[in-house]
Amino acid sequence: MAAIKPLIAGNWKMNGSRSNISDFAAIASGYNKTDTGKADAMICPPFTLLAALANHPDAGALAVGAQDCHVAQTGAHTGDISPEMITDCSASAVIVGHSERRADHGESNELIAQKAQASWRAGLMAIICIGETEQQRQNGDTLSVVESQLTGSVPQGATAKNTVIAYEPVWAIGTGLTASVEDVAEVHGHIRQLLVSSFGDEGASMRILYGGSVKLGNAAQLMAVDNVNGALVGGASLKPVDFLGILAAI
Ligand code: PEP
C-alpha cells in the first residue's frame, strides 16, 4: 500500500475579507517553494472569497475548498450554495459536518451523508468532520460517538480520493485545548479500523485529519501519531507564518 500523502487544510470559518487575499497569496508563495509532493495544502475561505482564491494567479499547488454546501444542484434555497456552484468557482473540495454546523444549524448525520454524496456528484472531495463533545468524552462515550457519526455521515462510495475524514473533538476546537497524543492515537486507530471494515483498501488509504487547536507548538507531535494524516486547522490558518510552520512540521 502506497504511503498516504498528508493534507493540511485551513478553515477560515467566518473570517476574512478582500484584504486577506494577500494572506492567501503569502501562504501560496511559501507552500509552492516547498516540496509540495510531501504534503497537500488547502485553504477553505468563506464563500465570499472562494472564487477569488481558487482563481488566484499565484495559487499554484495550494488547493481551495468551501466550508459547506447544499444537497441540491439548483433551486429555491435562498442563501444556500450548491456543490456545482463551488466547482464552478474552481474550488476542489468542501468541508461537511463541521461541529459548528452540526451545533448552529442542527445538521444530522443523514444530512451530512447527503451533502457528501452531493459534493461527489459535482466532482468535489468531501472533508467529513466528526468528533465528540466534552460531555460525551467525560461519559466515556468518545469511541461510540465517533463510530456512530462515521457510520452515519460517510456514505457508501467513499474512496481515498473523494473523501477525507477530520476527527475534531468539539471541546478542542478554538479553545487552545488539544487531545493528548494517546487519545488521538486511540481515536484515529479506531476510525482506521472502521474505515477498513467499511471500505477495504480505500479505507486503509483514506486520510484522517486531526483538528482542534493545532498550532505551531503542537503540530509536529500530533502529526507524528499513527493514523494522523494531516490536520484541519482553524485559528492558526489565519496567520500565514503559523500555517506555513504547521505545514513544515509534517
Ligand atoms: C476547526 O475550525 O476545524 C478547528 C479545528 O479550529 P481551531 O484550529 O481554531 O481549533
Side-chain angles (χ1 to χ4, degrees), residues 11 13 98 100 168 172-175 211-214 232-236:
N11 174 13
K13 310 194 188 193
H98 192 282
E100 287 153 13
E168 302 202 298
I173 296 179
T175 58
S213 299
V214 175
L232 183 54
V233 183

Side-chain angles (χ1 to χ4, degrees), residues 3-8 39-40 164-165 188 192 195 203-210 222-223 225-231 250:
I4 300 179
K5 188 178 183 188
L7 166 66
I8 304 292
D40 288 328
V164 170
I165 306 300
H188 278 239
R192 179 66 69 206
L195 289 175
S205 42
M206 204 173 283
R207 290 181 282 199
I208 309 172
L209 311 186
Y210 170 77
L222 287 163
M223 296 306 107
V225 176
D226 262 4
N227 290 304
V228 173
N229 314 117
I250 288 272

Side-chain angles (χ1 to χ4, degrees), residues 124-211:
L124 297 169
M125 182 177 80
I127 302 176
I128 305 176
C129 302
I130 57 175
E132 81 288 357
T133 63
E134 186 172 17
Q135 191 61 59
Q136 289 165 333
R137 175 160 283 269
Q138 274 169 10
N139 294 346
D141 293 334
T142 298
L143 296 185
S144 63
V145 166
V146 162
E147 180 161 346
S148 72
Q149 288 181 337
L150 195 78
T151 315
S153 348
V154 184
Q156 280 310 311
T159 67
K161 204 164 165 226
N162 70 16
T163 300
V164 170
I165 306 300
Y167 167 60
E168 302 202 298
V170 178
W171 50 270
I173 296 179
T175 58
L177 302 171
T178 30
S180 69
V181 162
E182 293 74 26
D183 289 341
V184 173
E186 182 187 31
V187 179
H188 278 239
H190 188 59
I191 292 171
R192 179 66 69 206
Q193 270 175 17
L194 295 166
L195 289 175
V196 170
S197 75
S198 297
F199 305 107
D201 285 351
E202 292 294 331
S205 42
M206 204 173 283
R207 290 181 282 199
I208 309 172
L209 311 186
Y210 170 77

